[in-house]
Amino acid sequence: MKKILLIIGAVLLLAVVFLYNFGGLDVYLLNKMNTSKLPEKYKSYKDINTTDHITFGHHEIKLMWNSYETIQHFISSDGNVIIVTSEIPKDRNQKEIETDGEMGSTRFYIDYHFYKLDKDGNIIDQYTYKATRENWKELLFGDFIVNYEKKYYKTWIKDGDTLRKPMIIQNEDLKWGEDEQVNLYHKIIEEADEYLRDSKSGSEGIITYYMNEKWYQFFTNTKALKNGYFSDRNPGYNNSLFGKQSFSEREQQPNRYPNIMPVYFQRKELDKFTSSASGGAISSTSKTWTGDLYFQLMIKGDTLKFKEEMSFNEDFPTEKFYNTKGENISKLKAEIEKQYFPYFYFEDKNLNFQLFTTRQSKLYMIKPIK
């Protein structure tokens, strides 16, 4: 009888060990033990993912734009803030729209909305560009909207004009000699206000540039320029007042946003995920805490108190967040900003409003209440 009891006990122990490690018993028990209640002082924090105005002190914040692609923004030479959003069209052939961009291919049919804001955040002008398969590359290029595929530009940013203006085309027939091409190339590199070099097949290339208040497109085909300088970025896709490294890997910056502070992490649910492996490798399992991260954003004596859902995994490099709860999360402010990009903020002394976001396809505006 004693032997039978020992065998039964051993089987039960093995069953408990198996359930704990593979059957989710560990997650169940940890969720049951997670009895922490949200402190009273955090219960008034607002969910930032709302379309309603949030008032705090003498300020208010409102979600102004949602976008299909990353929202772009910059300040023009006239001091106006330019915002560019995008959306899938609703007023075109829906069958074409549904098949556009299938299987990861380029999406051509997109409506791009350009907004011009004055120093008080008021929209003073707007323009919509309806991209198609035949004409889909109107891009921001300094104070201009440029289509280097179709060889035109628009001056809407400067004067509100949306008419197409032709560029001056140079060496399109590729009859210039090598010296003439090289000399102009170096002149562009040294003197152009803006330029973009686009390589074609072989030694051929196109340089779109702005110099002496005129737009040019210069065609090249000399091997002497094959390994020449390229503009460091495509100006049409990287306009952000949040900085060049927004929403991409960047160095840790402890004082990037001194007026924003994570103050509390409320664990809500623990989940376990198993990733399948290929090639005979062993699958891996890891746990993740999902909950609400509470923040404070301070502007001129007023404090916006908001929360955002966050998930922290137990594996490197996020295990420090996984193991941190409550107000101790405030000690990891710089690390959270580097790892998760939970928010971005922009202010300028010449503007009477601020920009804020928690993700690249949304944009909030903060303004004083009048």
Short mmCIF file of all heavy atoms in Angstrom, two decimals, residues 65-72 84-88 106-112 131 136 138-139 236-237 359-363:
data_model
loop_
_atom_site.label_atom_id
_atom_site.label_comp_id
_atom_site.label_asym_id
_atom_site.label_seq_id
_atom_site.Cartn_x
_atom_site.Cartn_y
_atom_site.Cartn_z
N TRP A 65 -4.73 63.99 -36.13
CA TRP A 65 -4.59 63.25 -37.39
C TRP A 65 -4.29 61.78 -37.13
O TRP A 65 -3.46 61.44 -36.28
CB TRP A 65 -3.48 63.84 -38.25
CG TRP A 65 -3.75 65.22 -38.73
CD1 TRP A 65 -4.58 65.61 -39.76
CD2 TRP A 65 -3.22 66.45 -38.20
NE1 TRP A 65 -4.57 66.96 -39.90
CE2 TRP A 65 -3.75 67.53 -38.96
CE3 TRP A 65 -2.34 66.75 -37.16
CZ2 TRP A 65 -3.44 68.85 -38.72
CZ3 TRP A 65 -2.02 68.07 -36.91
CH2 TRP A 65 -2.58 69.11 -37.69
N ASN A 66 -4.94 60.92 -37.90
CA ASN A 66 -4.62 59.50 -38.04
C ASN A 66 -4.18 59.29 -39.47
O ASN A 66 -4.75 59.89 -40.39
CB ASN A 66 -5.84 58.63 -37.72
CG ASN A 66 -5.77 58.03 -36.33
OD1 ASN A 66 -4.72 57.57 -35.90
ND2 ASN A 66 -6.89 58.07 -35.62
N SER A 67 -3.22 58.42 -39.70
CA SER A 67 -2.67 58.29 -41.04
C SER A 67 -2.38 56.83 -41.37
O SER A 67 -2.07 56.02 -40.49
CB SER A 67 -1.38 59.12 -41.14
OG SER A 67 -0.79 59.00 -42.42
N TYR A 68 -2.47 56.50 -42.65
CA TYR A 68 -2.12 55.15 -43.12
C TYR A 68 -0.61 54.95 -43.04
O TYR A 68 -0.13 53.92 -42.56
CB TYR A 68 -2.62 54.95 -44.56
CG TYR A 68 -2.17 53.65 -45.18
CD1 TYR A 68 -2.75 52.44 -44.78
CD2 TYR A 68 -1.18 53.63 -46.16
CE1 TYR A 68 -2.33 51.24 -45.34
CE2 TYR A 68 -0.77 52.43 -46.72
CZ TYR A 68 -1.34 51.24 -46.31
OH TYR A 68 -0.92 50.05 -46.86
N GLU A 69 0.15 55.92 -43.52
CA GLU A 69 1.61 55.87 -43.46
C GLU A 69 2.11 56.80 -42.36
O GLU A 69 1.33 57.50 -41.72
CB GLU A 69 2.21 56.28 -44.81
CG GLU A 69 1.85 55.36 -45.95
CD GLU A 69 2.44 55.81 -47.28
OE1 GLU A 69 2.77 57.01 -47.43
OE2 GLU A 69 2.56 54.97 -48.19
N THR A 70 3.41 56.80 -42.15
CA THR A 70 4.02 57.68 -41.16
C THR A 70 3.68 59.13 -41.46
O THR A 70 3.80 59.59 -42.60
CB THR A 70 5.56 57.51 -41.17
OG1 THR A 70 5.88 56.17 -40.81
CG2 THR A 70 6.22 58.47 -40.20
N ILE A 71 3.26 59.87 -40.45
CA ILE A 71 2.96 61.29 -40.63
C ILE A 71 4.27 62.07 -40.71
O ILE A 71 5.17 61.87 -39.91
CB ILE A 71 2.11 61.82 -39.47
CG1 ILE A 71 0.75 61.11 -39.45
CG2 ILE A 71 1.90 63.34 -39.58
CD1 ILE A 71 -0.16 61.52 -38.31
N GLN A 72 4.34 62.96 -41.69
CA GLN A 72 5.52 63.81 -41.85
C GLN A 72 5.20 65.23 -41.38
O GLN A 72 4.06 65.68 -41.47
CB GLN A 72 5.96 63.85 -43.31
CG GLN A 72 6.38 62.51 -43.86
CD GLN A 72 7.02 62.65 -45.22
OE1 GLN A 72 8.11 63.19 -45.37
NE2 GLN A 72 6.32 62.16 -46.24
N VAL A 84 1.86 66.22 -43.26
CA VAL A 84 1.44 65.37 -44.37
C VAL A 84 0.94 64.04 -43.82
O VAL A 84 1.68 63.31 -43.16
CB VAL A 84 2.59 65.11 -45.37
CG1 VAL A 84 2.06 64.31 -46.57
CG2 VAL A 84 3.20 66.42 -45.84
N THR A 85 -0.33 63.74 -44.11
CA THR A 85 -0.92 62.46 -43.70
C THR A 85 -1.36 61.71 -44.95
O THR A 85 -1.35 62.25 -46.06
CB THR A 85 -2.13 62.68 -42.78
OG1 THR A 85 -3.19 63.30 -43.53
CG2 THR A 85 -1.76 63.57 -41.60
N SER A 86 -1.78 60.46 -44.76
CA SER A 86 -2.22 59.67 -45.91
C SER A 86 -3.36 58.75 -45.50
O SER A 86 -3.52 58.41 -44.32
CB SER A 86 -1.05 58.83 -46.46
OG SER A 86 -0.56 57.95 -45.46
N GLU A 87 -4.15 58.35 -46.49
CA GLU A 87 -5.24 57.41 -46.24
C GLU A 87 -5.54 56.62 -47.51
O GLU A 87 -5.23 57.06 -48.62
CB GLU A 87 -6.50 58.15 -45.77
CG GLU A 87 -7.13 59.05 -46.82
CD GLU A 87 -8.47 59.64 -46.37
OE1 GLU A 87 -9.04 59.11 -45.41
OE2 GLU A 87 -8.92 60.62 -46.99
N ILE A 88 -6.12 55.44 -47.33
CA ILE A 88 -6.58 54.65 -48.46
C ILE A 88 -7.81 55.33 -49.05
O ILE A 88 -8.74 55.67 -48.31
CB ILE A 88 -6.92 53.21 -48.03
CG1 ILE A 88 -5.71 52.56 -47.35
CG2 ILE A 88 -7.37 52.39 -49.23
CD1 ILE A 88 -4.48 52.49 -48.21
N THR A 106 4.18 47.31 -53.84
CA THR A 106 4.02 48.75 -53.61
C THR A 106 2.55 49.15 -53.73
O THR A 106 1.86 48.74 -54.65
CB THR A 106 4.84 49.55 -54.63
OG1 THR A 106 6.22 49.21 -54.47
CG2 THR A 106 4.67 51.05 -54.40
N ARG A 107 2.09 49.94 -52.77
CA ARG A 107 0.73 50.47 -52.85
C ARG A 107 0.78 51.81 -53.59
O ARG A 107 1.49 52.73 -53.18
CB ARG A 107 0.12 50.65 -51.46
CG ARG A 107 -1.30 51.22 -51.50
CD ARG A 107 -1.94 51.23 -50.13
NE ARG A 107 -2.33 49.89 -49.70
CZ ARG A 107 -3.44 49.27 -50.08
NH1 ARG A 107 -4.28 49.86 -50.94
NH2 ARG A 107 -3.74 48.07 -49.64
N PHE A 108 0.02 51.91 -54.68
CA PHE A 108 0.04 53.11 -55.51
C PHE A 108 -1.10 54.08 -55.19
O PHE A 108 -0.92 55.28 -55.22
CB PHE A 108 -0.01 52.74 -56.99
CG PHE A 108 1.19 51.97 -57.47
CD1 PHE A 108 1.15 50.59 -57.56
CD2 PHE A 108 2.35 52.63 -57.80
CE1 PHE A 108 2.26 49.87 -57.99
CE2 PHE A 108 3.47 51.93 -58.24
CZ PHE A 108 3.42 50.54 -58.34
N TYR A 109 -2.29 53.53 -54.91
CA TYR A 109 -3.47 54.38 -54.74
C TYR A 109 -3.58 54.85 -53.29
O TYR A 109 -4.08 54.12 -52.43
CB TYR A 109 -4.73 53.63 -55.16
CG TYR A 109 -4.74 53.27 -56.65
CD1 TYR A 109 -4.37 52.01 -57.07
CD2 TYR A 109 -5.09 54.22 -57.60
CE1 TYR A 109 -4.36 51.67 -58.42
CE2 TYR A 109 -5.09 53.91 -58.95
CZ TYR A 109 -4.72 52.63 -59.35
OH TYR A 109 -4.71 52.33 -60.68
N ILE A 110 -3.09 56.03 -53.05
CA ILE A 110 -3.12 56.63 -51.71
C ILE A 110 -3.46 58.12 -51.86
O ILE A 110 -2.99 58.78 -52.79
CB ILE A 110 -1.76 56.49 -50.99
CG1 ILE A 110 -1.40 55.01 -50.80
CG2 ILE A 110 -1.79 57.19 -49.63
CD1 ILE A 110 -0.07 54.79 -50.13
N ASP A 111 -4.26 58.63 -50.96
CA ASP A 111 -4.53 60.07 -50.89
C ASP A 111 -3.60 60.69 -49.86
O ASP A 111 -3.61 60.27 -48.69
CB ASP A 111 -5.98 60.34 -50.51
CG ASP A 111 -6.96 60.03 -51.63
OD1 ASP A 111 -6.49 59.79 -52.76
OD2 ASP A 111 -8.17 60.02 -51.37
N TYR A 112 -2.83 61.69 -50.29
CA TYR A 112 -1.92 62.40 -49.38
C TYR A 112 -2.51 63.78 -49.08
O TYR A 112 -2.82 64.54 -49.99
CB TYR A 112 -0.54 62.55 -50.02
CG TYR A 112 0.20 61.24 -50.15
CD1 TYR A 112 0.14 60.51 -51.33
CD2 TYR A 112 0.94 60.73 -49.09
CE1 TYR A 112 0.81 59.29 -51.46
CE2 TYR A 112 1.62 59.52 -49.21
CZ TYR A 112 1.55 58.80 -50.38
OH TYR A 112 2.20 57.61 -50.51
N ALA A 131 -2.53 59.98 -55.38
CA ALA A 131 -1.53 59.18 -56.07
C ALA A 131 -2.18 58.05 -56.84
O ALA A 131 -3.17 57.45 -56.41
CB ALA A 131 -0.53 58.61 -55.06
N TRP A 136 2.73 58.63 -58.74
CA TRP A 136 2.59 58.33 -57.31
C TRP A 136 3.76 58.85 -56.46
O TRP A 136 3.94 58.41 -55.33
CB TRP A 136 2.48 56.81 -57.11
CG TRP A 136 3.63 56.01 -57.66
CD1 TRP A 136 3.87 55.71 -58.97
CD2 TRP A 136 4.68 55.41 -56.91
NE1 TRP A 136 5.00 54.96 -59.09
CE2 TRP A 136 5.53 54.76 -57.84
CE3 TRP A 136 5.01 55.35 -55.56
CZ2 TRP A 136 6.67 54.06 -57.45
CZ3 TRP A 136 6.14 54.66 -55.17
CH2 TRP A 136 6.96 54.02 -56.10
N GLU A 138 4.76 62.40 -55.47
CA GLU A 138 4.91 63.80 -55.05
C GLU A 138 5.49 63.80 -53.65
O GLU A 138 4.87 63.28 -52.71
CB GLU A 138 3.57 64.53 -55.08
CG GLU A 138 3.16 64.96 -56.46
CD GLU A 138 2.11 66.06 -56.47
OE1 GLU A 138 1.63 66.46 -55.39
OE2 GLU A 138 1.78 66.54 -57.57
N LEU A 139 6.68 64.38 -53.51
CA LEU A 139 7.39 64.31 -52.25
C LEU A 139 7.77 65.69 -51.75
O LEU A 139 7.97 66.63 -52.52
CB LEU A 139 8.67 63.48 -52.43
CG LEU A 139 8.49 62.05 -52.94
CD1 LEU A 139 9.84 61.43 -53.23
CD2 LEU A 139 7.72 61.22 -51.95
N GLY A 236 11.97 63.19 -49.33
CA GLY A 236 10.53 63.04 -49.38
C GLY A 236 9.94 62.12 -48.34
O GLY A 236 8.74 62.07 -48.16
N TYR A 237 10.77 61.37 -47.63
CA TYR A 237 10.24 60.36 -46.72
C TYR A 237 10.69 60.54 -45.27
O TYR A 237 10.26 59.78 -44.41
CB TYR A 237 10.68 58.97 -47.17
CG TYR A 237 10.14 58.56 -48.52
CD1 TYR A 237 10.95 58.60 -49.65
CD2 TYR A 237 8.83 58.15 -48.67
CE1 TYR A 237 10.46 58.21 -50.90
CE2 TYR A 237 8.33 57.77 -49.90
CZ TYR A 237 9.15 57.80 -51.02
OH TYR A 237 8.66 57.43 -52.24
N ARG A 359 2.70 57.09 -31.47
CA ARG A 359 3.04 56.21 -32.59
C ARG A 359 3.10 57.05 -33.86
O ARG A 359 2.49 58.11 -33.96
CB ARG A 359 2.03 55.07 -32.73
CG ARG A 359 0.60 55.48 -32.98
CD ARG A 359 -0.35 54.34 -32.72
NE ARG A 359 -0.34 53.95 -31.31
CZ ARG A 359 -1.11 53.00 -30.79
NH1 ARG A 359 -1.93 52.33 -31.58
NH2 ARG A 359 -1.08 52.71 -29.52
N GLN A 360 3.82 56.55 -34.85
CA GLN A 360 4.16 57.35 -36.03
C GLN A 360 2.98 57.66 -36.95
O GLN A 360 3.07 58.55 -37.80
CB GLN A 360 5.27 56.67 -36.81
CG GLN A 360 4.94 55.25 -37.24
CD GLN A 360 6.15 54.54 -37.79
OE1 GLN A 360 7.11 55.17 -38.23
NE2 GLN A 360 6.13 53.22 -37.78
N SER A 361 1.88 56.95 -36.80
CA SER A 361 0.72 57.20 -37.66
C SER A 361 -0.34 58.07 -37.00
O SER A 361 -1.45 58.20 -37.53
CB SER A 361 0.10 55.86 -38.08
OG SER A 361 -0.32 55.13 -36.93
N LYS A 362 -0.02 58.66 -35.84
CA LYS A 362 -0.96 59.53 -35.14
C LYS A 362 -0.23 60.82 -34.75
O LYS A 362 0.98 60.83 -34.57
CB LYS A 362 -1.48 58.85 -33.87
CG LYS A 362 -2.20 57.55 -34.11
CD LYS A 362 -2.48 56.81 -32.80
CE LYS A 362 -3.46 57.53 -31.94
NZ LYS A 362 -3.85 56.70 -30.75
N LEU A 363 -1.00 61.91 -34.62
CA LEU A 363 -0.39 63.16 -34.21
C LEU A 363 -1.39 63.96 -33.36
O LEU A 363 -2.52 64.20 -33.79
CB LEU A 363 0.06 63.98 -35.42
CG LEU A 363 0.93 65.18 -35.11
CD1 LEU A 363 2.25 64.76 -34.45
CD2 LEU A 363 1.23 65.99 -36.37
#
